[in-house]
């Protein structure tokens, strides 16, 4: 690391082209969203207009209008890096994926070898930042002040992590696997972004893959080109981008980004009394159930007494969505929505419901989902100091005339 | 003739290279993340934009002196931000003044 990468970082800054759009959010009623309103829309390489959270390292949020469908286009997919510099150039003639550590036969695989030697599998899965919707926590908490757009759903294709580990031959005594990408902090004192999963987690689940394809195309650089880890059902913190090193270790890996970062209270709800500190914590893991009403856009003027079609998406941590319900009376009565095509248990599930707004005034529609093990969403938001796991019932307001 | 052949070979190699290398250029820090002017803003700009853009600071919820003392201490202790004690105090006070409740 040290000086070279620091100079590269400064060089990257100095020579940067200004492709910032300099516009602010209009159109979607996010203009009236207290967290997202006023943030600039920016266009980064290989990306469409996204909401700027931070420039360096880039953190870009997807406008909610893109969640009117099950698959999030690559150009609209959110971006979240932790350290700087991030990779801006990857040459596949020299890029290698290393699998090493506590193994019998360390591997160094080119992209061609990865594709030729290991079976390709496909999984459609939601990638959601642990801190998605953190901006809505009350009391508020420090960290990335995301609205609800730090999520996306894509069809990922790649090889099974367990096939790679089998080829490398995991030795007796191995307990975890660590994942490191090409992003390397310029300051030696900033911990490199490295994540770990237990060996059991990755060996038991054939859907944990090293993906080199996203929605039928190579991954955008900012979403992890040329390969990223896919951990279906679990938060995006584990989905290491621009992957370069997979290392099997024989003791728990507890570097900064595993501990104390990315931890949730060790309580059944992952929550504590608002404003208090947890007694014990565990690494964040499976996603909570969420659902969103995305069409018509909030604030849309609807004709009273005339039927409208409400649409949105729902997802959970990998059991699959069993039911979505809407309520227009503040949650007293709930009505079942129709579910769209099933793209697998890790995917966004589209839903729709015909709804006739009352004759006049403002109307509020709430939406909640249940997964196949009966987990759902609450009417009161749960709280934890890092601003994770948000899954309170969402509601959308319409003007009826 | 030999030159022509070599030129063609070079072109092919370049093309193959272009297909296998992916490159992007990042924009510079967005002006919306600029720190507010005021006493202490210069030392904050100097010390707090080394590892990340200052929109990391600007986006945070407004906070009291305790919040901003905590942030500055975390940057120094956890990430190794190079601030003297005097600069750390000046930055924390500036942040509480400009980004206070």
């Amino acid at each position: 690391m040290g000086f070279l990468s620091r100079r590269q970082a400064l060089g990257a800054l100095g020579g940067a082209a200004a492709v910032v759009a300099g516009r602010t959010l209009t159109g979607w009623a996010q203009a009236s969203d207290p967290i997202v309103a006023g943030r600039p829309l920016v266009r980064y390489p290989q990306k469409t207009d996204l909401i700027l959270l931070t420039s360096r390292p880039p953190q870009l949020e997807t406008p909610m209008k893109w969640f009117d469908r099950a698959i999030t286009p690559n150009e609209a997919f959110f971006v979240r890096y932790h350290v700087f510099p991030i990779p801006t150039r990857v040459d596949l003639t020299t890029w290698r994926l290393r699998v090493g550590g506590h193994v019998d036969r360390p591997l160094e695989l080119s992209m061609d070898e990865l594709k030729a030697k290991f079976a390709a599998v496909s999984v459609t899965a939601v990638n959601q930042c642990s801190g998605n919707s953190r901006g809505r926590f009350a009391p508020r908490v420090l960290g990335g002040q995301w609205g609800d757009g730090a999520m996306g759903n894509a069809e990922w294709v790649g090889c099974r992590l367990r096939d790679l580990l089998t080829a490398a031959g995991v030795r007796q005594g191995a307990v975890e696997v660590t994942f490191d990408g090409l992003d390397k902090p310029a300051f030696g004192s900033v911990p490199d972004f490295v994540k770990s999963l237990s060996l059991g987690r990755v060996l038991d689940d054939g859907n944990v893959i090293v993906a080199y394809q996203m929605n039928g195309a190579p991954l955008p650089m900012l979403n992890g080109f040329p390969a990223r880890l896919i951990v279906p059902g679990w938060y995006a913190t584990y989905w290491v981008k621009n992957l370069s090193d997979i290392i099997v270790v024989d003791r728990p890996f507890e570097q900064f980004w595993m501990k104390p970062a990315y931890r949730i209270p060790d309580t059944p709800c992952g929550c504590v009394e608002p404003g208090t500190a947890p007694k014990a914590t565990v690494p964040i893991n499976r996603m909570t159930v969420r659902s969103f009403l995305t069409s018509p856009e909030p604030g849309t003027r609807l004709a009273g007494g005339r039927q409208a079609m409400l649409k949105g998406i729902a997802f959970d941590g990998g059991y699959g969505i069993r039911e979505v319900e809407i309520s227009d009376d503040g949650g007293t009565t709930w009505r079942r929505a129709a579910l769209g095509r099933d793209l697998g248990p890790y995917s966004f599930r589209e839903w729709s419901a015909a709804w006739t707004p009352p004759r006049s005034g403002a109307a509020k529609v709430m939406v909640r989902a249940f997964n196949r093990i009966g987990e759902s969403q609450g009417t009161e938001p749960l709280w934890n100091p890092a601003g994770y796991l948000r899954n309170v019932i969402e509601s959308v307001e319409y003007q009826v005339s | 003739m030999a030159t022509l052949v070599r030129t063609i070979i070079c072109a092919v190699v370049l093309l193959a290279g272009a297909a296998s290398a992916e490159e992007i250029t990042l924009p510079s820090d967005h002006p919306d993340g600029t720190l507010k002017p005021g006493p202490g803003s210069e030392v904050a700009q100097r010390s707090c934009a080394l590892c990340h853009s200052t929109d990391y600071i600007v986006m945070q919820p407004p906070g009291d002196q305790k919040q901003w003392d905590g942030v500055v201490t975390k940057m120094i202790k956890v990430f190794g931000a190079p601030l003297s004690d005097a600069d750390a105090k000046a930055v924390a006070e500036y942040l509480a003044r400009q980004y206070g409740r």
Side-chain angles (χ1 to χ4, degrees), chain A residues 16-17 20 40 44-46 52 54-57 59 88-90 92-93 140 142-145 189 221 225 256, chain B residues 20-30 32 49-53 55-56 59-61 67 71 78-80:
Chain A
V20 170
Y44 270 59
Q46 306 172 325
L52 179 72
T54 65
S55 307
R56 172 173 54 95
Q59 300 191 80
T88 52
R89 183 172 201 281
V90 177
L92 289 185
T93 57
R140 293 189 66 179
L142 293 168
Q145 301 297 306
S189 53
M221 183 71 76
F225 183 85
F256 178 77
Chain B
S20 61
E22 189 85 23
E23 183 162 10
I24 62 167
T25 306
L26 293 175
S28 40
D29 292 3
H30 194 282
D32 280 21
L50 292 168
C51 304
H52 50 68
S53 45
D55 37 26
Y56 265 81
M59 75 167 155
Q60 298 305 327
Q67 165 174 314
V71 167
V78 178
F79 299 131

Side-chain angles (χ1 to χ4, degrees), chain A residues 72-159:
Chain A
T72 316
N74 292 1
E75 58 168 5
F77 220 91
F78 83 102
V79 173
R80 196 281 193 249
Y81 278 94
H82 300 76
V83 298
F84 198 82
I86 62 167
T88 52
R89 183 172 201 281
V90 177
D91 186 346
L92 289 185
T93 57
T94 53
W95 175 85
R96 293 291 179 274
L97 179 63
R98 287 177 289 272
V99 184
H102 212 64
V103 298
D104 291 328
R105 300 170 294 276
L107 309 174
E108 279 213 11
L109 301 161
S110 68
M111 183 54 77
D112 287 345
E113 289 171 316
L114 207 57
K115 289 179 176 171
K117 291 188 176 165
F118 300 91
V121 296
S122 153
V123 57
T124 299
V126 176
N127 176 245
Q128 183 189 208
C129 177
S130 308
N132 194 23
S133 316
R134 179 184 287 119
R136 310 199 189 290
F137 272 62
R140 293 189 66 179
V141 296
L142 293 168
Q145 301 297 306
W146 299 103
D148 302 320
M151 60 177 185
N153 185 45
E155 191 220 23
W156 312 92
V157 173
C159 52

Side-chain angles (χ1 to χ4, degrees), chain A residues 269-310:
Chain A
C269 59
C271 64
V272 289
E273 195 58 38
T276 66
K279 287 193 187 69
T281 62
V282 292
I284 194 167
N285 47 77
R286 189 164 62 88
M287 293 190 289
T288 52
V289 180
R290 298 196 81 172
S291 57
F292 292 92
L293 197 182
T294 55
S295 171
E297 297 175 2
T300 301
R301 203 164 276 283
L302 300 176
R306 171 116 50 87
Q307 184 174 297
M309 187 56 79
L310 305 181

Side-chain angles (χ1 to χ4, degrees), chain A residues 53-357:
Chain A
L53 198 67
T54 65
S55 307
R56 172 173 54 95
Q59 300 191 80
L60 312 171
E61 172 165 350
T62 304
M64 291 304 284
K65 68 172 187 192
W66 290 101
F67 303 117
D68 64 341
R69 66 199 79 176
I71 297 292
T72 316
N74 292 1
E75 58 168 5
F77 220 91
F78 83 102
V79 173
R80 196 281 193 249
Y81 278 94
H82 300 76
V83 298
F84 198 82
I86 62 167
T88 52
R89 183 172 201 281
V90 177
D91 186 346
L92 289 185
T93 57
T94 53
W95 175 85
R96 293 291 179 274
L97 179 63
R98 287 177 289 272
V99 184
H102 212 64
V103 298
D104 291 328
R105 300 170 294 276
L107 309 174
E108 279 213 11
L109 301 161
S110 68
M111 183 54 77
D112 287 345
E113 289 171 316
L114 207 57
K115 289 179 176 171
K117 291 188 176 165
F118 300 91
V121 296
S122 153
V123 57
T124 299
V126 176
N127 176 245
Q128 183 189 208
C129 177
S130 308
N132 194 23
S133 316
R134 179 184 287 119
R136 310 199 189 290
F137 272 62
R140 293 189 66 179
V141 296
L142 293 168
Q145 301 297 306
W146 299 103
D148 302 320
M151 60 177 185
N153 185 45
E155 191 220 23
W156 312 92
V157 173
C159 52
R160 287 193 184 92
L161 178 61
R162 73 171 175 217
D163 291 352
L164 295 177
L165 294 176
T166 304
V170 173
R171 293 215 304 256
Q172 273 299 323
V175 294
E176 286 187 8
V177 186
T178 71
F179 305 90
D180 192 3
L182 298 170
D183 45 345
K184 296 282 168 227
F187 265 75
S189 53
V190 173
D192 189 12
F193 187 73
V194 183
K195 296 294 295 186
S196 74
L197 290 168
S198 76
L199 197 59
R201 175 72 184 86
V202 302
L203 291 182
D204 295 348
D205 186 350
N207 290 308
V208 176
I209 65 173
V210 172
Y212 41 74
Q213 194 179 301
M214 175 178 179
N215 293 330
L219 281 70
M221 183 71 76
L222 296 173
N223 295 113
F225 183 85
R228 86 181 290 177
L229 190 70
I230 306 301
V231 190
W234 282 30
Y235 284 97
T237 182
Y238 296 104
W239 300 40
V240 174
K241 297 182 293 301
N242 315 106
L243 191 61
S244 59
D245 292 89
I246 298 173
I247 299 173
V248 179
V249 293
D250 61 359
R251 67 194 58 170
F253 178 80
E254 295 190 331
Q255 182 253 42
F256 178 77
W257 299 106
M258 287 301 298
K259 189 180 183 181
Y262 285 110
R263 316 271 299 187
I264 54 172
D266 188 10
T267 57
C269 59
C271 64
V272 289
E273 195 58 38
T276 66
K279 287 193 187 69
T281 62
V282 292
I284 194 167
N285 47 77
R286 189 164 62 88
M287 293 190 289
T288 52
V289 180
R290 298 196 81 172
S291 57
F292 292 92
L293 197 182
T294 55
S295 171
E297 297 175 2
T300 301
R301 203 164 276 283
L302 300 176
R306 171 116 50 87
Q307 184 174 297
M309 187 56 79
L310 305 181
K311 291 198 291 188
I313 47 133
F315 64 98
D316 76 321
Y319 290 95
I321 292 299
R322 192 186 66 203
E323 201 169 303
V324 173
E325 295 177 333
I326 60 163
S327 170
D328 64 1
D329 59 6
T332 309
T333 58
W334 293 87
R335 204 152 56 74
R336 193 181 280 200
L339 297 183
R341 201 152 67 92
D342 187 355
L343 300 175
Y346 304 110
S347 170
F348 280 161
R349 188 80 188 259
E350 285 179 9
W351 64 265
S352 62
W355 173 67
T356 307

